[in-house]
Amino acid sequence: MTNGGRRIATATGAMLSDPDCLGNLPQDARESLFDPEFWRSRGELSEVRRGRGSAWFIASGARQWVLRHFRRGGFIARLSRDGYVWTGEAGVRAFAEWRLLDVLTRRGLPVPQPVAARYQRTGLRYRCDLITRRIVNAEPLSAALARGALPEPLWRAVGATVARLHRAGVDHADLNAHNLLVDVAGAAVKDAAVGREDIVWVIDFDRGRLREQGAWASRNLRRLQRSLVKISRDLPSGRFSDEAWEWLMAGYRAATGGGAE
């Protein structure tokens, strides 16, 4: 369980970390954790595709982590791929995501546990990184759909998981089929049928926040639906349908007692 985090000043910025996750690593070596080449040299790194950012899986003994380097999207990326305007430490995107995940983890919500975050500042710009615990035996919903059609219980479980976050006031800024993970160990279908909730998780909370209930929940759902429609265009027919969306929404409504439409 997380404990609120410890701030560590560095030569060019600062780190925020959960000491329980980092273990007994020397403090002067901890910035190396954010360097993919450090892990690659140890044979403990594999690259993954994760939105517009750069992400890697780290497998080092008991450490099963995801390292993500924050990158910009859209037109601004032509000017700076990974530089953000410095507005103070409270505005550092990796720190904001670390703190949000820390709160959500302590509430028992299905999100990855934060391990460490870092920023490096140069003048009026900064770059940042985030490490979270990897959710093993899980894959993006988009990848699961690419492999085959999903059963009704799993769609309902996806809807129920989204509802859990919405009930807690979590506004995910980019809810899509890539940021929902599902169990791929063969247990997902069976466990969904008996109502288990720990077979679907939500990841990548950059720009996410806690809010009072409002229209943002419906916007989240519409964004997810657009994502599913978009990726299904290049898949065999039947992978995502109006019926599948109804199953998802039935799971959502059952978990909220009504909810966004």
Side-chain angles (χ1 to χ4, degrees):
M1 191 65 69
T2 51
N3 60 5
R6 175 184 299 169
R7 184 188 183 279
I8 302 171
T10 67
T12 58
M15 287 177 54
L16 189 62
S17 68
D18 179 348
D20 292 340
C21 291
L22 292 184
N24 58 0
L25 290 169
Q27 183 167 318
D28 59 1
R30 290 185 175 180
E31 273 208 280
S32 298
L33 303 181
F34 300 95
D35 181 1
E37 294 307 316
F38 169 78
W39 299 106
R40 198 187 311 276
S41 68
R42 296 158 56 104
E44 298 171 339
L45 185 83
S46 58
E47 190 163 3
V48 295
R49 293 189 178 275
R50 181 66 56 79
R52 65 173 177 265
S54 299
W56 300 265
F57 287 147
I58 296 167
S60 178
R63 298 185 183 97
Q64 294 288 328
W65 293 346
V66 179
L67 166 62
R68 191 169 99 242
H69 181 64
F70 282 60
R71 292 190 182 277
R72 307 199 68 135
F75 175 80
I76 196 68
R78 301 179 185 179
L79 305 176
S80 176
R81 292 190 307 167
D82 61 356
Y84 296 87
V85 176
W86 177 259
T87 59
E89 193 166 289
V92 171
R93 290 170 75 149
F95 275 27
E97 185 169 351
W98 193 101
R99 292 187 175 105
L100 177 60
L101 289 174
D102 181 59
V103 170
L104 302 186
T105 299
R106 287 189 276 112
R107 293 184 182 181
L109 291 168
V111 303
Q113 181 179 353
V115 174
R118 174 188 71 163
Y119 72 85
Q120 297 173 300
R121 182 183 174 190
T122 304
L124 296 178
R125 293 191 175 275
Y126 73 93
R127 302 164 67 243
C128 61
D129 309 90
L130 177 70
I131 298 174
T132 58
R133 284 191 184 273
R134 181 181 177 183
I135 299 169
V136 297
N137 297 325
E139 69 177 353
L141 177 60
S142 55
L145 274 175
R147 289 193 297 104
L150 303 180
E152 178 180 349
L154 191 51
W155 283 113
R156 288 177 177 268
V158 169
T161 296
V162 174
R164 287 182 66 191
L165 268 69
H166 284 178
R167 286 201 314 267
V170 182
D171 180 4
H172 191 294
D174 190 20
L175 189 66
N176 61 52
H178 306 294
N179 290 336
L180 285 159
L181 301 186
V182 297
D183 183 335
V184 295
V189 175
K190 178 181 69 176
D191 291 342
V194 298
R196 274 186 55 190
E197 293 186 319
D198 57 344
I199 61 168
V200 182
W201 300 265
V202 186
I203 60 171
D204 286 1
F205 283 82
D206 182 28
R207 295 180 293 113
R209 54 178 170 161
L210 293 172
R211 307 181 64 178
E212 297 293 330
Q213 299 299 324
W216 56 266
S218 294
R219 289 196 293 270
N220 276 192
L221 289 167
R222 288 195 296 270
R223 189 178 187 89
L224 174 57
Q225 186 178 32
R226 288 196 302 270
S227 167
L228 288 164
V229 169
K230 181 178 179 180
I231 65 171
S232 65
R233 288 174 185 155
D234 297 324
L235 298 176
S237 62
R239 296 295 172 87
F240 176 68
S241 62
D242 290 343
E243 184 178 42
W245 182 251
E246 273 306 309
W247 290 337
L248 186 153
M249 288 303 301
Y252 184 96
R253 288 189 292 267
T256 58
E261 294 289 350

